[in-house]
């Protein structure tokens, strides 16, 4: 009891009638905030978040007691009105170059587990961003424009509900009480700013007001948005701060904080707030003036030190170009990637392709398992693939895609960093004699996941994306055998309504649509064709082309069996073991869909919207037109045997077109 009273007096908060929360921090010395991650409190009471410049960092600081929720008329728990004021400052490591911002968070938990740094501000991660079950509301003060979150500019205040795509956002500033004009304020200037956040629990209105520290509170709020926190919050509700660093480093500080439920937050005592640390520029001036008498010695030491540092850092030197500032993907240092992969040792290699090797590793600090793909930089195609993957996958977020965590460029090396898929690729579990066999439930789930991902690319994102290389080896499996579409190196983006054609023949032999091999023009229909072939091989357990199999072309064989009325004869024999009721019908559905998607005429193939409805049984599957199937396979096979199949005799094709043999 005595200990509680001491903490009570130090914090300077009190519980009013009805257990209202009311506290004031004019500095944080002796506070009992719950802090996690890169957070420190200086001796004079300055709360610092993400002040350690050694890598990607996240910092959280929450008030230890949840807000007292009250019962509403309908019996549900309601969020009361509250008012809070705080002073924050974001100090960039390099003057004029601001990094990622920070946020005031309202959360059902006093910790945000698995939250990522950089553009995620320590609030969410790649998989839960946008998930309604987060139950998190935040006011973001962001100094980087992230295209993936549709940020309005690189200096804005936004209200976020379960997602970093703000429901409302405006440029940082305030409305002058003198003339009503809007005055801009730089969030990343390093100067303290006072913020007021007020929630009206009756009207369900959330307001945010901002001004320089020395000004009184403007009468007109910067943001006023209708938000019902009661529909978002759970039974407990904590308030606090979150910040994160990325490749551009910024220290975030909170100088003071006042909060009250069901009333106006008490004003902060500006004169009692702790001071910000001196800027690097000021420190440099003091050092120079203090050692003027020993300038010669210092210069010699500096020259020796710089020489040592330059030689050491040349090993990790990276290239930064203008286009990199306009993409959503995060840049990761080469040093971190080298440490993660143990110096890119051969024992860390988990795959290889025409454009380089893939290494497994664990990112330092966050201990995140990653796959690092090194792309050969000595060719135009290698660079083109690198840029395509960053500009497409780096900005697209969908649970059915492999997450691109970041990238790196260094001298002649281009590196892409993905979440690690523990179970490798789909082809390893479908062909030959794998140690683990996927049952039909798993295969059907993977087919639906890949289909959903392709539907998102074609129809649901802001631009139409052609993947152009759908195949079993590009479907990766996580620890629960969920299928995720990867390898966007050949993808292209187009505006909806434009003509999404390419004029370069790319793809993998066996998955290339007939019209693509004739014209070289990729369309959404050519992606659908490749999806159809993928469906057939998942059901049949055979490659699209396999010289070791009795039937050379998988599509020919399935087409022939369908004509003869024995389509289920092509099913992978391993799937019949333990086959449950209804699974035979699902197999037949997928086989017929595969044939429908791989019809000779691209005009007869359904679009991805219909594909999803067929798989979900929302639409009845139409009859597969026999006339639209490939030519008689026996004729085609005898021609191959007599004349020689160029695909088989030259398995490793290299030309101006980007053809690849299926693995």
């Amino acid at each position: 009891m005595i200990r509680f009273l001491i903490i009570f007096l130090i914090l300077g908060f009190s519980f009013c009638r009805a257990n209202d929360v009311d506290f004031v921090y004019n500095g944080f010395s002796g506070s009992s905030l719950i802090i996690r991650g890169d957070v420190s409190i200086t001796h004079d009471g300055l709360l610092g978040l993400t002040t350690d410049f050694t890598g990607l960092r996240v910092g959280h600081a929450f008030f230890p007691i949840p807000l007292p929720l009250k019962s509403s008329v309908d019996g549900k728990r309601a969020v009361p009105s509250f008012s809070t004021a705080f002073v924050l400052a974001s100090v960039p490591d390099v003057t004029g170059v601001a990094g990622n911002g920070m946020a005031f968070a309202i959360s059902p938990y006093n910790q945000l587990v698995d939250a990522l740094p950089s553009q995620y501000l320590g609030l969410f991660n790649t998989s839960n961003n946008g998930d309604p079950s987060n139950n998190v509301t935040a006011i973001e003060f962001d100094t980087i424009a992230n295209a993936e979150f549709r940020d309005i500019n690189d200096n804005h205040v936004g209200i976020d509900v379960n997602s970093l795509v703000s429901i409302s956002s405006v440029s940082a500033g305030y409305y002058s009480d003198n003339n009503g004009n809007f005055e801009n304020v730089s969030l990343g200037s390093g100067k303290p700013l006072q913020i007021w956040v007020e929630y009206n629990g009756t009207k369900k209105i959330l307001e945010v007001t901002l001004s320089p520290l020395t000004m009184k509170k403007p009468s007109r709020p910067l943001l006023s948005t209708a938000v019902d926190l009661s529909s978002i919050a759970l039974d407990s509700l904590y308030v606090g701060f979150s910040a994160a660093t990325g490749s551009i480093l910024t220290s975030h500080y909170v100088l003071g904080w006042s909060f009250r439920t069901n009333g106006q937050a008490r004003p902060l005592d500006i004169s009692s707030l702790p001071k910000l640390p001196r800027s690097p520029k000021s420190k440099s001036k003091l050092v120079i003036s203090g050692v003027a008498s020993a300038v010669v010695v210092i210069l010699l030491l500096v020259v020796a030190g710089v020489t040592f540092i330059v030689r050491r850092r040349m090993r990790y030197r990276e290239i930064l170009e203008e286009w990199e500032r306009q993409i959503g993907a995060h840049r990761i240092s080469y040093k971190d990637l080298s440490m993660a992969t143990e110096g890119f040792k051969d024992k860390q290699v988990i795959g290889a392709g025409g454009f380089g090797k893939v290494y497994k590793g664990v990112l330092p600090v966050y201990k995140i398992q990653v796959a690092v793909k090194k792309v050969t930089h000595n060719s135009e195609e290698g660079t083109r693939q690198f840029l395509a993957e960053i500009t497409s996958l780096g900005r697209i977020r969908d649970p059915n895609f492999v997450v691109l965590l970041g990238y790196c460029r260094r001298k002649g090396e281009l590196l892409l960093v993905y979440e690690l898929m523990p179970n490798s690729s789909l082809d390893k579990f479908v062909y030959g004699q794998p140690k683990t066999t996927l049952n039909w439930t798993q295969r059907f789930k993977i087919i639906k996941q890949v289909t959903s991902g392709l539907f998102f690319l074609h129809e649901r994102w802001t631009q139409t994306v052609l993947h152009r290389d759908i195949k079993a080896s590009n479907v990766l499996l996580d620890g629960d055998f969920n299928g995720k579409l990867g390898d966007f190196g050949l993808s292209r983006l187009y505006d909806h309504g434009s003509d999404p054609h390419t004029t370069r023949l790319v793809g993998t032999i066996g998955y290339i649509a007939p019209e693509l091999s004739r014209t070289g023009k990729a369309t959404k229909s050519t992606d659908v064709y490749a999806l159809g072939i993928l469906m057939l091989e998942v059901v049949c357990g055979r490659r699209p082309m396999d010289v070791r199999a009795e039937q050379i072309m998988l599509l020919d064989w399935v087409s022939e069996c369908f004509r003869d009325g024995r389509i289920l004869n092509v099913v992978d024999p391993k799937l019949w073991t333990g086959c449950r009721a209804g699974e035979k019908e699902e197999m037949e559905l997928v086989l017929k869909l595969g044939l429908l998607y791989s019809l000779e005429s691209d005009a007869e193939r359904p679009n991805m919207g219909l594909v999803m409805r067929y798989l979900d049984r929302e639409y009845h599957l139409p009859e597969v037109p026999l006339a639209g199937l490939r030519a008689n396979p026996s004729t085609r096979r005898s021609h191959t045997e007599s004349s020689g199949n160029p695909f088989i005799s030259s398995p490793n094709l290299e030309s101006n077109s980007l053809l690849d043999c299926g693995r």
Side-chain angles (χ1 to χ4, degrees):
M1 183 65 181
I2 295 175
R3 181 182 178 187
F4 176 79
L5 290 175
I6 293 173
I7 295 174
F8 179 87
L9 293 173
I10 293 174
L11 293 177
F13 72 82
S14 63
F15 290 93
C16 306
R17 288 178 301 175
N19 292 326
D20 285 345
V21 173
D22 180 14
F23 64 82
V24 176
Y25 295 106
N26 289 300
F28 296 89
S29 295
S31 68
S32 62
L33 293 180
I34 296 175
I35 59 177
R36 289 182 174 84
D38 183 17
V39 180
S40 61
I41 299 177
T42 63
H43 68 279
D44 58 349
L46 187 65
L47 176 63
L49 297 95
T50 61
T51 59
D52 187 344
F53 291 170
T54 59
L56 306 178
R57 296 282 181 171
V58 168
H60 297 137
F62 280 91
F63 187 68
I65 300 174
L67 302 186
L69 304 184
K70 59 184 180 180
S71 297
S72 61
V73 176
D74 58 3
K76 296 181 179 179
R77 303 285 280 170
V79 177
S81 298
F82 65 80
S83 170
T84 184
F86 48 88
V87 176
L88 59 81
S90 296
V91 183
D93 184 38
V94 179
T95 302
V97 183
N100 296 98
M102 64 179 299
F104 173 73
I106 306 168
S107 167
Y109 313 104
N110 56 25
Q111 56 180 319
L112 298 171
V113 181
D114 297 328
L116 290 179
S118 191
Q119 70 265 39
Y120 289 93
L121 304 184
L123 294 171
F124 308 115
N125 56 45
T126 55
S127 59
N128 72 2
N129 185 53
D131 188 343
S133 65
N134 291 326
N135 301 111
V136 172
T137 303
I139 315 298
E140 67 171 55
F141 306 92
D142 201 1
T143 49
I144 288 183
N146 291 290
E148 63 182 304
F149 302 140
R150 299 196 285 276
D151 289 343
I152 58 173
N153 57 33
D154 59 358
N155 186 60
H156 62 274
V157 178
I159 296 177
D160 302 340
V161 177
N162 297 321
S163 169
L164 286 164
V165 179
S166 302
I167 63 171
S168 179
S169 63
V170 294
S171 296
Y174 63 93
Y175 291 96
S176 171
D177 285 343
N178 295 327
N179 53 26
N181 292 338
F182 180 78
E183 304 292 340
N184 287 301
V185 170
S186 174
L187 297 174
S189 66
K191 297 179 180 179
L193 301 172
Q194 189 159 195
I195 314 293
W196 294 265
V197 178
E198 295 164 304
Y199 176 66
N200 188 315
T202 303
K203 297 181 180 180
K204 315 300 182 187
I205 299 293
L206 186 63
E207 293 185 344
V208 182
T209 310
L210 179 153
S211 79
L213 181 61
T214 55
M215 282 184 54
K216 68 175 184 178
K217 178 185 175 184
S219 57
R220 179 181 174 183
L222 175 64
L223 263 175
S224 182
T225 302
V227 179
D228 184 1
L229 295 185
S230 299
S231 66
I232 303 167
L234 299 180
D235 288 342
S236 60
L237 202 63
Y238 292 86
V239 291
F241 301 93
S242 174
T245 61
S247 54
I248 301 174
L249 305 176
T250 294
S251 292
H252 300 287
Y253 298 99
V254 183
L255 288 70
W257 184 18
S258 172
F259 189 97
R260 184 175 183 179
T261 55
N262 296 309
Q264 190 66 37
R266 286 181 279 169
L268 296 168
D269 183 358
I270 303 301
S271 62
S272 301
L273 298 180
K275 304 298 181 184
L276 290 172
R278 289 191 180 96
S279 67
K281 183 177 180 180
S282 300
K283 292 179 181 178
S284 298
K285 289 182 178 180
L286 291 175
V287 172
I288 293 173
S289 63
V291 296
S293 60
V295 64
V296 174
V297 176
I298 290 176
L299 287 175
L300 290 174
L301 292 174
V302 168
V303 170
V306 168
T307 301
F308 172 78
I309 292 172
V310 168
R311 287 179 178 177
R312 185 175 183 273
R313 290 189 176 180
M314 281 292 289
R315 180 183 177 188
Y316 301 110
R317 187 177 64 180
E318 302 172 12
I319 304 168
L320 183 64
E321 297 181 6
E322 183 61 30
W323 61 266
E324 296 183 72
R325 303 181 185 275
Q326 303 174 12
I327 60 175
H330 169 67
R331 180 164 183 151
I332 300 175
S333 73
Y334 184 83
K335 182 178 181 180
D336 282 349
L337 297 182
S338 180
M339 292 174 61
T341 58
E342 301 181 19
F344 296 99
K345 290 184 178 179
D346 288 342
K347 70 176 184 178
Q348 299 297 107
V349 174
I350 56 174
F355 290 93
K357 295 180 179 179
V358 181
Y359 301 80
K360 68 177 179 180
V362 179
L363 275 181
V365 180
Y366 285 95
K367 308 304 179 184
I368 301 174
Q369 288 189 314
V370 295
V372 183
K373 180 168 72 173
K374 270 192 175 184
V375 181
T376 304
H377 193 194
N378 57 8
S379 69
E380 181 182 351
E381 293 304 335
T383 304
R384 183 181 291 112
Q385 276 213 341
F386 179 81
L387 295 178
E389 191 117 6
I390 294 177
T391 55
S392 56
L393 190 57
R395 294 160 53 194
I396 299 173
R397 290 292 181 265
D398 185 86
N400 299 307
F401 300 146
V402 177
V403 176
L404 177 65
L405 298 175
Y407 70 97
C408 176
R409 298 190 69 202
R410 174 189 175 271
K411 297 180 180 178
E413 295 176 315
L414 310 174
L415 302 101
L416 295 167
V417 186
Y418 309 87
E419 60 174 333
L420 183 67
M421 293 289 102
N423 284 317
S424 188
S425 54
L426 176 61
D427 59 321
K428 304 257 187 329
F429 294 89
V430 174
Y431 308 139
Q433 301 295 326
K435 295 181 180 179
T436 301
T437 299
L438 297 179
N439 60 37
W440 174 248
T441 299
Q442 292 171 313
R443 297 193 196 195
F444 191 50
K445 178 182 69 171
I446 292 168
I447 288 172
K448 296 182 73 171
Q449 289 167 335
V450 174
T451 302
S452 178
L454 190 59
F455 174 59
F456 181 90
L457 292 179
H458 283 190
E459 309 294 345
R460 298 186 64 187
W461 200 51
T462 54
Q463 291 177 287
T464 296
V465 182
L466 303 183
H467 188 279
R468 305 203 299 170
D469 199 20
I470 296 169
K471 57 183 177 181
S473 59
N474 282 344
V475 177
L476 303 180
L477 306 178
D478 66 12
D480 296 322
F481 289 97
N482 291 302
K484 295 177 181 284
L485 195 55
D487 200 341
F488 282 64
L490 301 181
S491 66
R492 293 293 182 270
L493 290 78
Y494 303 91
D495 292 330
H496 286 294
S498 63
D499 185 19
H501 289 87
T502 68
T503 56
R504 302 174 64 254
L505 179 57
V506 298
T508 299
I509 294 170
Y511 299 86
I512 297 176
E515 71 275 11
L516 181 58
S517 60
R518 293 192 303 268
T519 65
K521 294 182 178 180
T523 65
K524 289 191 286 188
S525 186
T526 57
D527 270 357
V528 171
Y529 181 93
L531 177 64
I533 299 299
L534 175 64
M535 287 183 172
L536 297 181
E537 59 180 317
V538 170
V539 180
C540 301
R542 295 198 181 193
R543 303 174 189 272
M545 294 183 58
D546 195 342
V547 295
R548 294 166 297 182
E550 179 184 352
Q551 315 295 338
I552 298 298
M553 299 293 292
L554 175 62
L555 179 56
D556 289 347
W557 179 45
V558 178
S559 298
E560 183 177 23
C561 290
F562 175 70
R563 285 191 180 94
D564 296 344
R566 47 188 180 91
I567 191 170
L568 289 178
N569 286 6
V570 304
V571 173
D572 186 345
K574 294 188 290 291
L575 292 177
W576 293 122
T577 303
C579 183
R580 294 180 289 108
E583 291 187 345
K584 183 176 72 171
E585 289 74 15
E586 288 179 346
M587 295 177 195
E588 185 172 358
L589 169 67
V590 174
L591 286 170
K592 289 181 178 179
L593 284 173
L595 291 175
L596 194 63
Y597 303 160
S598 52
L599 291 172
E600 287 276 315
S601 171
D602 58 337
E604 294 187 84
R605 299 174 205 143
N607 60 41
M608 289 308 302
L610 287 174
V611 173
M612 289 298 299
R613 287 174 171 83
Y614 291 148
L615 277 176
D616 292 336
R617 305 294 184 92
E618 294 179 14
Y619 287 3
H620 180 69
L621 184 68
E623 291 295 327
V624 180
L626 294 176
L629 297 175
R630 291 169 64 98
N632 189 298
S634 59
T635 304
R636 188 184 297 265
R637 201 160 53 243
S638 62
H639 174 75
T640 299
E641 292 168 355
S642 61
S643 61
N645 191 324
F647 293 156
I648 299 171
S649 60
S650 303
N652 297 312
L653 296 177
E654 294 184 4
S655 66
N656 291 331
S657 30
L658 299 177
L659 291 177
D660 180 24
C661 286
R663 286 180 277 165

